[in-house]
Amino acid sequence: MTTFHRRSLLAAAGSLALPGLSVLQPAAAQTTAAPAASRRFEPVPGTWRSFELSTQIELKGVQGRAAKVWVPLPSVDTPYQRSLDSSYTGNAQSMKVVSDSQYGARMLLAEFAAGGPTPVLQVASRIQSQNRSTDFSRKTVAREDADTLRAWTRATELMPTDGIVRSTAQGIVRGAGTDREKVQKIYDWVVGNTHREPKVRGCGTGDIKAMLETQNFGGKCGDINALFVGLCRAAGVPARDVYGIRLVPSAFGYRELGGNPANLKGAQHCRAEVFLKDFGWVAMDPADVGKVMRQESPEWIKDVNHPLVTPVRKALFGGWEGNWLAYNMAHDVALPGSTGPRLGFLMYPQAEIAGERVDALAPDDFKYTISARELMSA
């Protein structure tokens, strides 16, 4: 068994912009009143929780050919997460921790020799996490390296910041005076115009230009939060996706905002952060608002002020629950040791057989299980 330790900080609405789209108005302007017995969703920081995430992989269909497997590892150390250590075992010819060259996203690379047994691999990672929330009534001295902030306003392959993305962002934030006001308008616009589409594979692709050009705003977290991040960047506000996985159920009883620790396959979830001058890096998650609207109850809720939705919509502007692990913040990921195409993001285990990429979402070819357990203090 090999173990490594990781504790370094990664450096690295308003007016309508498109015809036919609606905008979420401030709650005070709505006519629908939530009943007194509305739901609670109020994550409060301050208590650290410890978790161990376990991934077990069996790669079928090798038939005597050489194979490679990449497993994402927690690479984030922030005020809300401490990435501690990872260990791994298996029958690979070699196993080593590698990272992508641009963002420092860490992953285990296991290489299996041709003619060997069916590749198997076990990976365990430990982290500590806590809830997040932002008190917008209390400004802070927010410091961040200027080069880092510039990096989080750059375009990526699937997240351009010019053309239709920029014109849309400009229309949304028209009239906003501060970066916080810009982000609020973008958040409200995304919540009001996108929707969760359960039929989308995995977490989506995050092709925001296509979403805007087609006005097809159905997707999952990799699409909806990418759209939010891209619009923020196009409006001049540093923003980034944070790619991870849900670990345990929500403490507030929202089924769709937690994971089943015994079986986390499909629990991958990305979130977002924006940098506000008076508050620093602030948590955001408009995609989870849409998930509650579409999947938390038998009916598809389309009222953003529905009593089931309102607590989540308010809390996820500035906060999130710490029942989730962040892997990385990387876009356009080139897997070390691979000549295959770049990934839009890295949340799922990846594999290649004889140089051919395996579909990470095809369970018959790529069998893996992910589970988690909370580690109690001694």
Side-chain angles (χ1 to χ4, degrees), residues 37-99:
S38 59
R39 292 282 294 271
R40 286 182 60 251
F41 186 76
E42 301 171 352
V44 176
T47 301
W48 286 95
R49 301 170 70 181
S50 299
F51 297 99
E52 181 179 78
L53 181 73
S54 298
T55 302
Q56 298 190 43
I57 291 173
E58 182 178 356
L59 186 59
K60 295 183 178 296
V62 175
Q63 297 175 334
R65 295 170 292 174
K68 296 180 181 179
V69 172
W70 295 261
V71 180
L73 302 173
S75 308
V76 174
D77 280 280
T78 65
Y80 62 85
Q81 178 171 307
R82 301 165 180 162
S83 295
L84 301 178
D85 57 67
S86 291
S87 59
Y88 41 89
T89 60
N91 59 5
Q93 184 179 34
S94 69
M95 294 181 287
K96 60 182 177 181
V97 175
V98 296
S99 61

Side-chain angles (χ1 to χ4, degrees), residues 106-123:
R106 293 202 168 200
M107 62 202 85
L108 176 68
L109 168 57
E111 300 184 74
F112 299 87
T118 299
V120 294
L121 186 64
Q122 299 85 35
V123 183

Side-chain angles (χ1 to χ4, degrees), residues 13-18 21-23 152-156 158-174 176 178-194 206-213 216-217 222-241 272-276 284 286-287 331:
S15 300
L16 295 181
L18 292 176
L21 300 184
S22 62
V23 161
W152 295 119
T153 59
R154 293 174 187 157
T156 71
L158 294 175
M159 191 187 293
T161 56
D162 58 0
I164 193 172
V165 181
R166 178 168 294 173
S167 62
T168 303
Q170 290 173 340
I172 295 170
V173 304
R174 187 174 295 124
T178 66
D179 56 358
R180 179 190 166 191
E181 290 172 352
K182 289 180 180 179
V183 172
Q184 182 73 70
K185 284 177 174 287
I186 293 171
Y187 180 91
D188 291 347
W189 188 92
V190 171
V191 168
N193 288 289
T194 64
D207 187 345
I208 69 172
K209 182 172 181 283
M211 293 175 72
L212 291 169
E213 288 178 339
N216 179 0
F217 294 106
D223 304 307
I224 295 170
N225 282 342
L227 180 61
F228 170 77
V229 168
L231 291 170
C232 287
R233 292 187 182 189
V237 179
R240 59 197 184 193
D241 288 290
E273 290 184 308
V274 298
F275 185 85
L276 302 180
M284 300 279 161
H331 294 267

Side-chain angles (χ1 to χ4, degrees), residues 121-178:
L121 186 64
Q122 299 85 35
V123 183
S125 298
R126 294 189 309 121
I127 62 113
Q128 292 179 318
S129 66
Q130 65 171 323
N131 293 341
R132 299 182 71 178
S133 67
T134 303
D135 183 353
F136 288 108
S137 69
R138 299 180 61 183
K139 296 182 179 181
T140 62
V141 180
R143 294 189 177 92
E144 182 59 282
D145 179 76
D147 289 339
T148 298
L149 293 180
R150 278 192 292 271
W152 295 119
T153 59
R154 293 174 187 157
T156 71
E157 183 176 347
L158 294 175
M159 191 187 293
T161 56
D162 58 0
I164 193 172
V165 181
R166 178 168 294 173
S167 62
T168 303
Q170 290 173 340
I172 295 170
V173 304
R174 187 174 295 124
T178 66

Side-chain angles (χ1 to χ4, degrees), residues 27 30-42 252-254 257 289 292-293 296-297 299 301-315:
Q30 300 288 335
T31 57
T32 304
S38 59
R39 292 282 294 271
R40 286 182 60 251
F41 186 76
E42 301 171 352
F252 301 96
Y254 280 86
L257 302 185
V289 183
V292 168
M293 294 175 72
E296 188 66 29
S297 68
E299 65 169 317
I301 300 170
K302 298 184 179 180
D303 176 7
V304 297
N305 284 321
H306 188 284
L308 189 66
V309 177
T310 297
V312 173
R313 174 173 56 81
K314 290 180 177 179

